[in-house]
Amino acid sequence: GAGVSQSPRYKVAKRGQDVALRCDPISGHVSLFWYQQALGQGPEFLTYFQNEAQLDKSGLPSDRFFAERPEGSVSTLKIQRTQQEDSAVYLCASSLGAHGELFFGEGSRLTVL
Amino acid sequence: DQQVKQNSPSLSVQEGRISILNCDYTNSMFDYFLWYKKYPAEGPTFLISISSIKDKNEDGRFTVFLNKSAKHLSLHIVPSQPGDSAVYFCAGGGGGADGLTFGKGTHLIIQP
């Protein structure tokens, strides 16, 4: 497809489990962003990649969160030892540059029990 | 510290009338602002943007106004249609940050 693709769309994890969320950006988009959206809130910045380089990870809430984009295309957000407060929609977005319009995927909804 | 604030969690407007969604910001370094629209179970989609050097941008039924001195922007939708019912997010860009900084959103409900 032509848009940003995320999988899985829905993930239920038991507390303490590790999860991995995948993002396939629009082809040719250099920049890739991960956002976390809790219920009733706006998207909150987690991390930013320019090609394969992670240029900003200031929004990652703890060292249990890890993101990678090894070949400058597909990205994976990994959450280790999930906790209930990690329950949220994780949105991936891509763009041609670091600024301007972001194109979002449909998100991965994580529920931690 | 919330840099982008949308103080109305929800807004109900009659079909055919004007919808006005408001947004305030504290970061005077933002270079541009965008409005996104979000339906349930979908990702946000871009609606309209405005550069910080402009005070108005219009695209069909959608107009965004920027008042830099008041650090305030608004989105006008006229006439409002049932398909406009969604959550609207205001976002600021630039200002030394990567990507966009979002408000909490306003849920617009268009009444028939």
Side-chain angles (χ1 to χ4, degrees):
Chain A
V4 177
S5 178
Q6 291 188 247
S7 61
R9 288 292 313 279
Y10 302 93
K11 175 70 179 177
V12 178
K14 291 183 180 177
R15 191 159 55 97
Q17 230 177 342
D18 296 349
V19 300
L21 308 175
R22 175 189 168 106
C23 173
D24 203 338
I26 294 172
S27 177
H29 277 194
V30 168
S31 297
L32 186 146
F33 300 83
W34 283 99
Y35 283 82
Q36 180 190 59
Q37 185 178 14
L39 192 63
Q41 304 294 313
E44 297 267 352
F45 172 82
L46 292 177
T47 187
Y48 160 59
F49 289 86
Q50 186 177 89
N51 295 307
E52 69 280 1
Q54 189 175 21
L55 298 187
D56 187 349
K57 53 182 181 179
S58 62
L60 295 177
S62 78
D63 58 7
R64 296 186 295 105
F65 286 70
F66 172 77
E68 61 183 4
R69 194 187 184 196
E71 296 175 0
S73 178
V74 171
S75 176
T76 303
L77 176 67
K78 297 179 180 177
I79 309 172
Q80 297 177 323
R81 304 181 304 282
T82 52
Q83 300 179 5
Q84 282 190 318
E85 60 261 33
D86 300 334
S87 295
V89 175
Y90 291 85
L91 293 164
C92 176
S94 69
S95 68
L96 286 169
H99 303 288
E101 179 187 350
L102 301 185
F103 295 82
F104 282 89
E106 293 180 311
S108 292
R109 178 178 293 278
L110 172 65
T111 303
V112 182
L113 302 177
Chain B
D1 173 38
Q2 237 192 322
Q3 296 188 42
V4 178
K5 298 177 186 178
Q6 294 178 257
N7 293 319
S8 299
S10 67
L11 175 68
S12 185
V13 174
Q14 209 163 15
E15 182 180 355
R17 307 292 286 265
I18 184 171
S19 296
I20 300 176
L21 295 96
N22 293 304
C23 177
D24 298 293
Y25 62 94
T26 57
N27 186 348
S28 57
M29 300 296 289
F30 283 135
D31 297 315
Y32 52 92
F33 301 89
L34 298 88
W35 285 92
Y36 277 80
K37 175 179 179 180
K38 186 181 182 305
Y39 293 120
E42 294 185 12
T45 55
F46 170 75
L47 197 55
I48 192 169
S49 65
I50 187 166
S51 163
S52 63
I53 62 172
K54 299 275 181 77
D55 55 18
K56 178 182 174 181
N57 186 28
E58 190 172 350
D59 183 2
R61 296 186 297 114
F62 304 92
T63 303
V64 56
F65 295 92
L66 175 61
N67 181 335
K68 281 190 73 173
S69 61
K71 294 197 178 94
H72 176 84
L73 63 157
S74 60
L75 173 68
H76 293 213
I77 306 173
V78 56
S80 300
Q81 298 175 354
D84 297 330
S85 294
V87 177
Y88 289 78
F89 292 99
C90 170
D98 296 311
L100 301 172
T101 302
F102 286 87
K104 290 187 177 184
T106 296
H107 185 193
L108 176 64
I109 302 160
I110 305 301
Q111 306 274 12

